[in-house]
Amino acid sequence: AQSVTQLDSQVPVFEEAPVELRCNYSSSVSVYLFWYVQYPNQGLQLLLKYLSGSTLVKGINGFEAEFNKSQTSFHLRKPSVHISDTAEYFCAVTAYNQGGKLIFGQGTELSVKP
Amino acid sequence: KAGVTQTPRYLIKTRGQQVTLSCSPISGHRSVSWYQQTPGQGLQFLFEYFSETQRNKGNFPGRFSGRQFSNSRSEMNVSTLELGDSALYLCASSRERSNEQFFGPGTRLTVL
């Protein structure tokens, strides 16, 4: 079975500051990793994914994440945030043979202040 | 290309009733997954359908069921509604053998 822990439930940050949202996972098998963003009253939008290959993955809206297998982490970063990045962010995993079953973390609410 | 659509967007039901939610995947996507989102439990996987067959199931009671039609559209049904079933129900679709899921806007169910 897989599990995901997002270490911060809320992250307040000022506009144009860097941000890191932390995600750790647990799994006895190899996994794929994802970050999704959810704006109020909307569904989830995929920010980026790690399937294989380079451990540094770049996504939309200037976000990137680094897969660290030894630390079982997949932290999300952005060098300079905007007010429009205010949203809830979810880290998710799925096992190689469980493609349609995503296991999500509890979410991190990113609040960008002017 | 149209995204994942879910109908209705909002529903209000009373305890004991049943409800059916609908999901139309992106054209060409054959896998449909359903998730429940609540403030207390977060996002939880309900089930996945592929080619009209349930391929994966989460840890929910039998009151929660689903099906998929030959055109890949999917429905989920909740019978004997309880207050705790109030949630945002999200549907996601993906191509065969793809791990990238595309989510719909959700159906917000309120049980009174």
Side-chain angles (χ1 to χ4, degrees):
Chain A
Q2 292 77 46
S3 66
V4 178
T5 302
Q6 291 184 241
L7 297 156
D8 307 292
S9 59
Q10 293 181 318
V11 173
V13 64
F14 287 106
E15 195 174 18
E16 297 183 8
V19 70
E20 179 180 80
L21 306 184
R22 298 179 294 166
C23 171
N24 286 99
Y25 70 94
S26 172
S27 177
S28 56
V29 300
S30 296
V31 295
Y32 298 128
L33 295 150
F34 306 84
W35 275 98
Y36 283 87
V37 60
Q38 185 176 35
Y39 298 101
N41 300 314
Q42 293 188 27
L44 301 173
Q45 181 183 10
L46 180 67
L47 276 176
L48 48 78
K49 60 189 177 188
Y50 174 78
L51 303 181
S52 64
S54 174
T55 57
L56 182 65
V57 291
K58 294 188 183 299
I60 62 171
N61 301 341
F63 284 94
E64 63 180 33
E66 185 153 21
F67 170 57
N68 188 319
K69 189 173 182 180
S70 62
Q71 296 187 3
T72 60
S73 68
F74 191 54
H75 301 332
L76 180 71
R77 301 186 183 101
K78 186 170 182 178
S80 175
V81 294
H82 303 288
I83 297 286
S84 59
D85 292 322
T86 295
E88 187 141 26
Y89 292 79
F90 293 94
C91 180
V93 302
T94 185
Y96 279 179
N97 62 347
Q98 300 277 321
K101 179 180 179 180
L102 285 170
I103 305 300
F104 286 91
Q106 284 294 102
T108 297
E109 191 179 324
L110 175 64
S111 176
V112 182
K113 304 179 186 307
Chain B
K1 205 176 205 181
V4 178
T5 57
Q6 293 187 244
T7 56
R9 291 292 311 278
Y10 301 91
L11 264 179
I12 299 175
K13 293 285 187 180
T14 56
R15 278 181 298 176
Q17 287 186 308
Q18 75 166 20
V19 68
T20 299
L21 313 181
S22 181
C23 172
S24 292
I26 292 171
S27 177
H29 288 193
R30 294 171 61 191
S31 169
V32 174
S33 298
W34 289 89
Y35 298 84
Q36 181 196 63
Q37 185 177 25
T38 60
Q41 299 298 317
L43 279 155
Q44 294 185 287
F45 172 78
L46 279 156
F47 28 66
E48 180 204 4
Y49 286 87
F50 180 80
S51 291
E52 302 179 64
T53 301
Q54 188 179 84
R55 188 157 70 173
N56 255 314
K57 190 176 188 308
N59 189 26
F60 278 80
R63 300 186 297 107
F64 291 81
S65 63
R67 59 178 175 167
Q68 187 180 33
F69 302 94
S70 58
N71 62 358
S72 295
R73 190 177 70 84
S74 177
E75 290 181 347
M76 67 163 281
N77 184 76
V78 188
S79 62
T80 320
L81 284 165
E82 301 176 359
L83 295 178
D85 298 332
S86 292
L88 181 67
Y89 290 88
L90 293 164
C91 165
S93 74
S94 62
R95 284 192 299 267
E96 184 176 356
R97 298 195 189 94
S98 167
N99 287 284
E100 182 171 346
Q101 294 188 30
F102 294 83
F103 283 79
T107 294
R108 183 162 299 280
L109 171 65
T110 302
V111 182
L112 302 175

